[in-house]
Structures are given as structure tokens and as C-alpha cells.
């Protein structure tokens, strides 16, 4: 069975930084692109970042470009999201998901709250 | 950016009825790169459909989908209370965007 589990969320002040991790199991991790998607409280879904299976390509929407960095460690079956210069509008549940087009498995999510 | 619009915003139906959800794209979605997800309260989204009409693993055949270009539809027949959820469409043809969702309430 495929499992994804995010960790590292919490309360951070505006301008602060946070690193999320997503541990994966149950599939050949390095074969698949991985994606982060976020959902603000009571809102819809927003794509945040995607990284290729080898880790050599990554993409971001303009809303986080230059502030967020996605990376992966295929030896640990883990994908990361480093978030800098956090803003109140970054407050959301952050999901990691398997896949680089559609997402066939999702983790339960990790809540990031940006507030003073 | 391809903007996705969904309607209706909310659908209230009884068990056994059929739900029809619509998703419109502001530009053509190419190569059938459209998916649907189900999100129950307090849970992560779950893939229902990919490639416009392909059911994901474990999804019952009560769920069907169709469409092309800019107009897409998800149908759920013989509704069950467990189908109560928000349903999002998602295009991966040009970058990645999601629709705002349709809430389906079955009771």
C-alpha cells in the first residue's frame, strides 16, 4: 500500500521560515514526480510545487516562486518543502501527493499557520 | 493560466438519485488532461477520475465522467450517503489548476 505522511507544520510568524517533510512508502519513490498542494481554511486547492523523480527539475507557481524550494532525498523516500518569507496568505493545510500530473495518492496534510 | 469553473456550487440530493457536476475551462484542455477528486470533510482529496474518463483504482462504476475541450462532466449514479463530499476538477494540461469545487450533500 502507498503511504504519504507530512510533518513539520506549525505556527510561524510572518517573514519566518518552515520546512515540511513528506515520507513515502509502498512504491518505487524515485520513479515518480512528487507534488505539494495546499488548501487555505475553507478554500479550494492550489498547486504549490512539483519535483521530478530524479530531483533535477522543479516548478512553482508565481505565488510562491522565489520563496519556496522543493527537494527530495531518494535514499530516504522523502520530499521536502522549504518555505521562506512566509505570509499570512500562506496559511493552509499542505498536502504532498504522488505524481506530477494527476495525483493518485495524497498524505493527510500538515497545517501551516502564519500569524503574529 | 487555465481557469476552471464548476457548477452548481452545491447539490442536495437523496440516496439513489443521480448527480451531474460540470466543470468548464477558460481554455482548451489538451490531451484529455483533466482529473476529478473527492474530498470528504476533514480528509485529504482522493482521486476519482483521471484522463477525463478513467476511473482511479477502487472507484466504483457508479462514478463516470466525460468531456473534451473546455466542457467536462462528472456523474454519480445511485447516490449513497458516503458520496457526500466536495468534488474538484483539476487540469494538468497547462501548469496545474483546480476548480473551486461542487459540494454534494446526500441525505
Amino acid at each position: 500500500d502507498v503511504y504519504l505522511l507530512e510533518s513539520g507544520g506549525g505556527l510561524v510568524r510572518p517573514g519566518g521560515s518552515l520546512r515540511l517533510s513528506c515520507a513515502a512508502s509502498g512504491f518505487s519513490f524515485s520513479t515518480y514526480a512528487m507534488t505539494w498542494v495546499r488548501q487555505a481554511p475553507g478554500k479550494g486547492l492550489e498547486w504549490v510545487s512539483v519535483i521530478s523523480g530524479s530531483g533535477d527539475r522543479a516548478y512553482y507557481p508565481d505565488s510562491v516562486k522565489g520563496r519556496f524550494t522543493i527537494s527530495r532525498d531518494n535514499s530516504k523516500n522523502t520530499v521536502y518543502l522549504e518555505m521562506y518569507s512566509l505570509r499570512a496568505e500562506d496559511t493552509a493545510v499542505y498536502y504532498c501527493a504522488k505524481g506530477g500530473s494527476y495525483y493518485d495518492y495524497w498524505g493527510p496534510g500538515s497545517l501551516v499557520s502564519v500569524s503574529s | 493560466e487555465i481557469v476552471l469553473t464548476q457548477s452548481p456550487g452545491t447539490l442536495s440530493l437523496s440516496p439513489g438519485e443521480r448527480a451531474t457536476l460540470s466543470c468548464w475551462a477558460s481554455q482548451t484542455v489538451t490531451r484529455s488532461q483533466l482529473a476529478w477528486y473527492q474530498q470528504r470533510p476533514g480528509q485529504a482529496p482522493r482521486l476519482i477520475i483521471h484522463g477525463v474518463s478513467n476511473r482511479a483504482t477502487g472507484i466504483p462504476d457508479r462514478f463516470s465522467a466525460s468531456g473534451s475541450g473546455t466542457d467536462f462532466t462528472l456523474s454519480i449514479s445511485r447516490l449513497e450517503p458516503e458520496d457526500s463530499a466536495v468534488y474538484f476538477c483539476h487540469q494538468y494540461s497547462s501548469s496545474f489548476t483546480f476548480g473551486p469545487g461542487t459540494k454534494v450533500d446526500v441525505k
Side-chain angles (χ1 to χ4, degrees):
Chain A
D1 289 359
V2 172
Y3 289 102
L4 301 172
L5 183 61
E6 304 90 343
S7 60
L11 176 63
V12 61
R13 297 195 184 280
S17 303
L18 208 57
R19 186 177 87 156
L20 301 181
S21 301
C22 172
S25 62
F27 64 101
S28 180
F29 183 70
S30 63
T31 303
Y32 291 91
M34 295 294 292
T35 294
W36 287 94
V37 175
R38 69 184 179 183
Q39 186 171 37
K43 302 297 184 182
L45 301 168
E46 180 187 14
W47 166 67
V48 172
S49 185
V50 60
I51 188 167
S52 63
S54 62
D56 62 342
R57 287 169 288 133
Y59 303 96
Y60 310 87
D62 288 345
S63 58
V64 307
K65 193 176 295 181
R67 300 189 300 120
F68 288 14
T69 301
I70 191 172
S71 62
R72 64 191 295 159
D73 185 338
N74 287 344
S75 69
K76 296 182 179 179
N77 285 4
T78 301
V79 60
Y80 304 97
L81 185 68
E82 303 226 37
M83 304 181 289
Y84 305 94
S85 302
L86 283 162
R87 307 166 180 167
E89 54 264 37
D90 296 318
T91 293
V93 174
Y94 286 71
Y95 297 102
C96 75
K98 172 178 168 283
S101 52
Y102 62 88
Y103 317 125
D104 55 357
Y105 292 93
W106 298 62
S110 182
L111 176 62
V112 173
S113 295
V114 184
S115 174
S116 54
Chain B
E1 173 181 295
I2 297 179
V3 177
L4 299 178
T5 303
Q6 292 186 243
S7 73
T10 302
L11 204 49
S12 296
L13 295 166
S14 299
E17 291 190 308
R18 181 183 189 89
T20 301
L21 288 65
S22 296
C23 173
W24 289 280
S26 62
Q27 303 170 43
T28 297
V29 175
T30 59
R31 292 169 292 166
S32 300
Q33 296 188 323
L34 187 115
W36 291 89
Y37 301 88
Q38 175 195 69
Q39 186 176 34
R40 294 174 175 141
Q43 295 186 16
R46 177 174 72 144
L47 178 69
I48 300 294
I49 298 286
H50 64 91
V52 171
S53 60
N54 301 296
R55 278 188 302 276
T57 303
I59 301 303
D61 60 7
R62 300 186 296 105
F63 290 83
S64 62
S66 63
S68 65
T70 59
D71 294 359
F72 302 91
T73 300
L74 173 69
S75 296
I76 313 170
S77 63
R78 305 185 302 279
L79 279 166
E80 301 180 1
E82 66 187 29
D83 298 329
S84 293
V86 179
Y87 293 82
F88 296 96
C89 57
H90 165 222
Q91 68 80 24
Y92 44 98
S93 167
S94 174
S95 190
F96 310 97
T97 54
F98 294 88
T102 290
K103 182 178 180 180
V104 174
D105 190 16
V106 183
K107 59 181 177 182

